[in-house]
Amino acid sequence: MSKGWWWLVAGAVVVAAWAARGGDDSPAPEAASKPGVSASPQPAKSTATPRPSVTDRPSATERPTTERPTTERPKVTEPRADWYNNYDPAEFAVPVRKYAKRAGVSAQLLMAILYNEAYKPHDPQLERSWQHLKEDSAFGIANMHRAAFDDTKRGRFGKRQWEELPDHPDLAIEAAAWHLHDLARRLPDRRSGKYSKDELLALGYNTGAGNMRAFATGAEPGAQAQSYLDNLHENWDKAAKAVS
């Protein structure tokens, strides 16, 4: 083979070898990586909101609770043993509500009458001493006369005696409640409308059933009855607060 042909064959061999290696034997450029970070491919980021694991959830004891406000009721206390010293009818709110409910009358009216009748001392010894001087005086915190008590007790507390009233305020309250009940039954069906039912019952408690019926049909109360009614109005709101 001539020398010129040999160079042609050698050149063809070089070209074929270069084509077999991909044309360029320089390495492909790598993506720049930060120091300390692996160049391995990273997983794709999820767009879903991560859910807390079970251990991340607050336990039942840690969950906030909504506490309901509690309303404290006033404590029910018994009247003092010496209740007649600095006497206040409000001390007897419990029996007033109790016996007013049984008799079907207003507890506020019953308490207001006790306030009306608190114009004099209710010390049991003083009441008995006064009764020796004035036989027709009234007994107890509701100032009930013997005849009214005896009429009221029939069929209810018949074994109790009028003389017990100074020492037994509960009995006095019970008798007053049923007396108001009986007065209500004697009110006329047709009334003038000048006075409310409670006002008429208070007037009847003070002046008797006959006068009450007269006031119900239009008669004007005298000075004593009007004064009793005025006192009732003054004590009305105070009585409501006492029995509420």
Side-chain angles (χ1 to χ4, degrees):
M1 180 181 297
S2 67
K3 199 172 188 177
W5 281 105
W6 185 89
W7 283 109
L8 289 175
V9 172
V13 171
V14 171
V15 171
W18 177 83
R21 294 182 60 184
D24 190 1
D25 56 356
S26 63
E30 295 181 357
S33 61
K34 295 181 181 179
V37 179
S38 173
S40 59
Q42 299 293 324
K45 294 184 179 180
S46 173
T47 58
T49 303
R51 299 179 63 183
S53 63
V54 175
T55 56
D56 293 333
R57 297 177 184 175
S59 63
T61 57
E62 296 175 336
R63 293 177 184 173
T65 57
T66 303
E67 296 183 359
R68 296 182 179 178
T70 57
T71 303
E72 295 185 0
R73 293 187 176 184
K75 296 181 179 179
V76 177
T77 57
E78 293 294 329
R80 296 168 290 119
D82 60 341
W83 56 266
Y84 42 83
N85 292 326
N86 299 318
Y87 166 62
D88 183 0
E91 286 191 55
F92 296 94
V94 172
V96 164
R97 290 193 296 264
K98 173 183 175 181
Y99 292 117
K101 183 177 181 179
R102 287 187 182 179
V105 298
S106 165
Q108 184 177 0
L109 171 63
L110 181 56
M111 179 62 78
I113 286 177
L114 292 185
Y115 274 113
N116 270 28
E117 301 295 345
Y119 64 88
K120 71 175 187 179
H122 287 299
D123 185 307
Q125 292 184 355
L126 289 177
E127 284 198 347
R128 288 193 175 88
S129 298
W130 180 249
Q131 199 266 338
H132 288 309
L133 299 174
K134 188 178 180 182
E135 293 185 358
D136 63 343
S137 61
F139 265 177
I141 61 174
N143 285 336
M144 185 169 283
H145 291 277
R146 184 190 297 271
F149 179 84
D150 289 343
D151 287 342
T152 303
K153 74 176 186 178
R154 293 190 181 100
R156 293 167 180 145
F157 39 90
K159 294 183 179 181
R160 307 300 295 269
Q161 300 299 319
W162 175 74
E163 289 81 4
E164 298 179 57
L165 291 177
D167 297 296
H168 298 278
D170 280 27
L171 176 61
I173 293 170
E174 182 179 13
W178 284 110
H179 185 44
L180 290 170
H181 168 89
D182 294 343
L183 287 171
R185 296 181 63 181
R186 299 184 65 178
L187 282 171
D189 294 333
R190 293 184 179 181
R191 302 195 289 268
S192 65
K194 183 177 181 179
Y195 300 108
S196 69
K197 178 182 177 181
D198 286 342
E199 288 174 325
L200 289 171
L201 293 178
L203 288 170
Y205 193 92
N206 178 244
T207 65
N211 289 323
M212 176 192 70
R213 291 175 63 86
F215 300 147
T217 54
E220 292 293 329
Q224 179 181 339
Q226 184 60 53
S227 176
Y228 195 85
L229 190 59
D230 293 341
N231 289 337
L232 184 82
H233 294 157
E234 291 178 5
N235 292 323
W236 196 246
D237 291 341
K238 183 165 53 175
K241 183 178 180 181
V243 298
S244 62

